[in-house]
Amino acid sequence: MLGVTDLPTYLAGLVLIILLPGPNSLYVLSVAARGGVRQGYRAAAGVFTGDALLMTLAAVGAGALLQTSPMLFGIVKLLGAGYLTWLAIGMLRGAWTMWRARRERAGAGGGGPQAPVAAAEVKAGETERPYRRALLISVFNPKAILFLMSFFVQFVDSAYAYPALSFLLLGGLMQIASFLYLTTLIFGGNRLAATFRRRKRLAAGASSAAGVLFLGFAAKLAVS
């Protein structure tokens, strides 16, 4: 079909790839938990845009360029690791702010309205720009271009006259699977948001854990 071979094997591999935890899915889950469904889908849209761009670059041979230019590969890789580190530091700072605010409220007797805290959360969600951040997380991952090219080419018939259509079909299926998976994370994160608003200690702990994981992603990308 459109020059794609062994479609069932591709779909099976696709499911495993989508389910592997990575910075994109973790960021979407974090945004949805903190900002709700709308913010979660903004982050997801950034992921879709970034993935579409990488798939296009892979289809036209950008992966081969990165393979033949170690210096270019290293520069883009370090930029991606640096950006992930910056995100991780922001998450850890946010967690520290929540811990400090909780201690201050406890020291004041635990009374008083929650409106200032809620307003701060809304302001943070508005200034975070989840679409742009998710887009940059996706784009600053040169390994994704190499992976997409090496993964897709296994299922493209070399004798097919229009290989671009084959790449388009494979990329479209990947985007559909990613959309379904991220939708599950978004609504799961939205349910977590209500719990986080009631239990600030849990929210701070989750933000700290996400920050540590992002530092791990950055380190893995930098040294790989």
Side-chain angles (χ1 to χ4, degrees):
M1 181 173 62
L2 295 179
V4 174
T5 62
D6 204 2
L7 185 59
T9 301
Y10 172 76
L11 294 176
L14 184 60
V15 170
L16 295 176
I17 293 165
I18 294 295
L19 292 179
L20 286 175
N24 289 345
S25 57
L26 179 61
Y27 181 66
V28 171
L29 176 60
S30 174
V31 169
R34 289 180 284 111
V37 171
R38 179 176 296 182
Q39 291 290 88
Y41 271 114
R42 287 178 180 174
V47 173
F48 299 146
T49 304
D51 286 349
L53 178 59
L54 293 180
M55 290 176 193
T56 301
L57 291 174
V60 300
L65 174 63
L66 288 179
Q67 284 180 320
T68 57
S69 179
M71 181 176 294
L72 176 60
F73 181 83
I75 291 173
V76 178
K77 183 173 65 174
L78 290 177
L79 286 174
Y83 186 72
L84 290 178
T85 301
W86 180 71
L87 287 177
I89 292 173
M91 291 180 179
L92 292 173
R93 289 179 60 187
W96 170 248
T97 300
M98 284 187 281
W99 282 112
R100 186 173 58 186
R102 183 180 180 276
R103 286 201 305 267
E104 290 174 352
R105 290 198 305 273
Q114 300 295 322
V117 177
E121 290 177 351
V122 171
K123 183 178 180 181
E126 291 175 348
T127 58
E128 185 175 2
R129 298 180 180 178
Y131 174 84
R132 187 178 67 177
R133 286 195 176 188
L135 175 61
L136 290 175
I137 291 173
S138 295
V139 170
F140 281 131
N141 188 4
K143 291 173 64 179
I145 302 177
L146 297 175
F147 167 77
L148 288 172
M149 190 170 188
S150 60
F151 182 62
F152 282 176
V153 75
Q154 301 175 56
F155 303 97
V156 175
D157 185 357
S158 59
Y160 187 64
Y162 306 102
L165 293 179
S166 305
F167 276 97
L168 180 62
L169 175 59
L170 294 173
L173 291 173
M174 178 171 280
Q175 290 286 59
I176 291 172
S178 178
F179 173 80
L180 295 175
Y181 177 58
L182 292 180
T183 294
T184 302
L185 293 182
I186 287 169
F187 282 95
N190 190 43
R191 293 189 181 93
L192 287 175
T195 303
F196 287 163
R197 280 191 289 267
R198 293 192 303 268
R199 303 179 63 181
K200 297 303 177 183
R201 178 183 295 180
L202 179 62
S207 184
S208 300
V212 171
L213 283 175
F214 264 67
L215 283 176
F217 286 132
K220 183 178 179 181
L221 180 60
V223 303
S224 62

